Amino acid sequence: MKTIFFLPVLLISLWCNAQDGLYPYAEKNKWGLTNKNRKVIIEPQFDSIHLFEGEYARVESNKKVGLIHTSGRIVYPCSYADIPFVSPNGMAIAKVMKGYILLDPSTGKQKGTLVFELPGMMPMSKTANLLIAKKEGEVGIVNMTTGEPVSKKFPYDDAEFFDEKTLKDYVIVNKDDKYGVVEALTGREIIPITYSEIKGASDGTQDLIKATTDDERVVYFDATGKPASAAIAKAAKKVEDDMDKKSSGAALKDDSKKDLHIYKLANEKWRITLEERLFQKPKVLDSIDINGYTLLEYMSYHAYLNKYPGKIKAVKNGKAGVIDMKGNVLIPLIYDDVAYREDNIGHYAYVETKVGNRVGVIPAESMVELKKPVLAQVIDEDVNRQALLVQIASGNRGYMDKKTGEVYIPGYKE
């Protein structure tokens, strides 16, 4: 059976725009909420606070889930097994013993009487107040304004929203391995359920619907469900072909076999090489001998970083710093220790500096000190918040801005 083909729908956090800089912080393992001025928005009381999606964020307490607003208001108490989805207006899907229900932010309670199951990964429309629900094995459309289904029966085997905004009022539906399009609020058929595949498309100026028959014939429809002209169909095909060519030709130069290597020669003499290793046969691309260090240790090498591709931990007279492949000092040798840290997918990397039992942060991209060694530890990176999760000397935890080094923990002082 062919599944519904649609453009990926991503849950994107609107952290920077919608929240004006709100950050969770923890005291004695309970989390509250603060802002960039370190004003307490919510006192520490939750076991965790998730990312805000628009103006709302999930919170957990005693293994139950609730929802808070950026104002600090508790929209739904922590009394649900899960709240997997939240709409921009605060309407939410919550899991209870019998299944899933809709929650109304104006009352903090259930909206309507429907109890349902979730048919797919993204049951809520991103742009319209609509929900796709499943009941007794059949799928239907729910109007979240009323909390009730659009039609009495759930008539489909499966359904999926379009990602394109101008198609927000329509739903791709599946029945008996065939696909069509219906108007969400009425269930009126816009494109008959006779196609083998349906997806969103574009001619470069407008959103379209692309429908494919069993014999691979393609038909384009406009945003009202009317067949598109031959000229528009030709333009849409060209847009799709251009995208395919672009994605297939986007291979980057392979520098994965190049790496930095360090060899100890004698006493305090060292050789640093850049090598390309093919079938275990090294080819030396560059080499330099330096001396005067008691220890040189590999930290990182990234060929795509033009300014600082290679970093080496260097120790002299008991103090540590960082040098590059040419022996230039990138970080002065004034620390008790230095270590290189990066996330698993390359979003962020930094050199952690240490003096005594305190650590500091120097971003690998700029190699300029962001935070002196005053932190108890750097715990993790948060890509969505553009911040690092840190612990300060008091034991409290919270977030530090990756660009400014500002620590958003109430009461924090350098």
Side-chain angles (χ1 to χ4, degrees), residues 106-140:
S106 65
T107 64
K109 298 179 181 179
Q110 182 177 358
K111 179 77 172 183
T113 59
L114 183 67
V115 180
F116 56 92
E117 297 300 321
L118 298 181
M121 293 180 62
M122 180 52 66
M124 275 186 173
S125 169
K126 290 200 304 180
T127 55
N129 203 28
L130 298 167
L131 167 71
I132 293 173
K134 190 172 187 178
K135 196 170 180 67
E136 297 178 355
E138 298 296 322
V139 173

Side-chain angles (χ1 to χ4, degrees), residues 190-234:
I190 301 299
I191 297 175
I193 308 174
T194 58
Y195 292 92
S196 62
E197 185 177 80
I198 298 269
K199 69 176 183 177
S202 173
D203 68 350
T205 63
Q206 62 181 317
D207 293 327
L208 300 169
I209 299 170
K210 179 184 177 182
T212 305
T213 63
D214 286 338
D215 59 1
E216 302 299 324
R217 184 172 61 89
V218 174
V219 182
Y220 289 96
F221 298 87
D222 65 19
T224 67
K226 296 180 180 179
S229 67
I232 290 176
K234 183 178 180 180

Side-chain angles (χ1 to χ4, degrees), residues 221-377:
F221 298 87
D222 65 19
T224 67
K226 296 180 180 179
S229 67
I232 290 176
K234 183 178 180 180
K237 185 178 186 307
K238 185 178 185 303
V239 168
E240 188 170 22
D241 290 345
D242 289 346
M243 290 179 65
D244 289 342
K245 288 179 182 178
K246 186 176 180 180
S247 61
S248 62
L252 298 175
K253 182 180 178 182
D254 184 13
D255 288 313
S256 61
K257 295 180 176 62
K258 293 181 182 179
D259 206 353
L260 175 66
H261 296 270
I262 302 169
Y263 301 96
K264 187 172 183 179
L265 301 178
N267 298 325
E268 294 185 345
K269 294 181 179 180
W270 304 81
R271 177 166 295 157
I272 303 170
T273 64
L274 178 62
E275 300 178 12
E276 185 176 52
R277 296 195 170 187
L278 301 173
F279 302 107
Q280 304 300 315
K281 295 180 180 180
K283 178 182 178 182
V284 178
L285 304 176
D286 199 2
S287 176
I288 186 174
D289 291 351
I290 61 175
N291 57 66
Y293 294 103
T294 54
L295 174 69
L296 292 184
E297 188 175 279
Y298 178 95
M299 295 183 80
S300 70
Y301 176 78
H302 295 291
Y304 58 85
L305 294 178
N306 296 327
K307 194 172 183 181
Y308 307 110
K311 298 175 181 64
I312 300 167
K313 173 182 174 179
V315 178
K316 181 188 291 187
N317 299 325
K319 291 296 181 181
V322 177
I323 63 173
D324 67 11
M325 295 183 294
K326 298 295 184 181
N328 300 311
V329 175
L330 302 179
I331 296 176
L333 282 68
I334 59 175
Y335 301 100
D336 294 344
D337 198 9
V338 293
Y340 186 78
R341 294 183 61 176
E342 62 181 337
D343 65 13
N344 292 329
I345 51 179
H347 276 122
Y348 190 67
Y350 65 93
V351 176
E352 183 177 271
T353 58
K354 189 171 184 179
V355 175
N357 61 353
R358 296 287 180 259
V359 300
V361 175
I362 298 177
E365 184 176 342
S366 68
M367 294 303 284
V368 176
E369 188 169 63
L370 179 67
K371 179 64 65 177
K372 295 179 180 180
V374 294
L375 304 170
Q377 65 171 321

Side-chain angles (χ1 to χ4, degrees), residues 10-217:
L10 301 179
L11 279 175
I12 301 175
S13 171
L14 302 178
W15 180 264
C16 296
N17 294 329
Q19 299 165 80
D20 195 25
L22 296 178
Y23 296 87
Y25 73 100
E27 293 181 0
K28 298 179 180 179
N29 293 323
K30 291 296 182 181
W31 290 86
L33 200 65
T34 185
N35 61 17
K36 287 189 174 182
N37 296 321
R38 295 196 284 270
K39 177 183 176 182
V40 175
I41 306 301
I42 299 178
E43 294 284 349
Q45 58 189 282
F46 302 109
D47 295 336
S48 66
I49 298 178
H50 293 230
L51 278 171
F52 277 86
E53 294 171 19
E55 297 181 339
Y56 301 91
R58 292 197 310 160
V59 291
E60 296 185 29
S61 184
N62 297 321
K63 298 183 179 180
K64 294 291 185 179
V65 179
L67 199 76
I68 60 173
H69 186 262
T70 53
S71 64
R73 177 172 61 93
I74 296 176
V75 183
Y76 308 123
C78 291
S79 56
Y80 301 98
D82 194 12
I83 299 181
F85 299 99
V86 182
S87 72
N89 67 357
M91 188 76 74
I93 296 174
K95 183 172 178 57
V96 294
M97 288 287 292
K98 295 181 179 180
Y100 291 89
I101 61 173
L102 272 176
L103 296 179
D104 186 345
S106 65
T107 64
K109 298 179 181 179
Q110 182 177 358
K111 179 77 172 183
T113 59
L114 183 67
V115 180
F116 56 92
E117 297 300 321
L118 298 181
M121 293 180 62
M122 180 52 66
M124 275 186 173
S125 169
K126 290 200 304 180
T127 55
N129 203 28
L130 298 167
L131 167 71
I132 293 173
K134 190 172 187 178
K135 196 170 180 67
E136 297 178 355
E138 298 296 322
V139 173
I141 304 166
V142 177
N143 184 342
M144 291 195 297
T145 301
T146 63
E148 299 298 335
V150 170
S151 58
K152 291 183 180 180
K153 293 183 178 180
F154 278 31
Y156 310 113
D157 296 336
D158 202 358
E160 191 71 54
F161 291 110
F162 285 98
D163 196 39
E164 293 79 6
K165 287 186 178 180
T166 58
L167 303 177
K168 66 182 177 63
D169 295 327
Y170 300 126
V171 179
I172 306 171
V173 295
N174 163 248
K175 187 70 176 178
D176 298 328
D177 289 344
K178 298 296 181 182
Y179 298 87
V181 177
V182 301
E183 191 175 57
L185 287 176
T186 65
R188 182 171 65 92
E189 191 176 88
I190 301 299
I191 297 175
I193 308 174
T194 58
Y195 292 92
S196 62
E197 185 177 80
I198 298 269
K199 69 176 183 177
S202 173
D203 68 350
T205 63
Q206 62 181 317
D207 293 327
L208 300 169
I209 299 170
K210 179 184 177 182
T212 305
T213 63
D214 286 338
D215 59 1
E216 302 299 324
R217 184 172 61 89

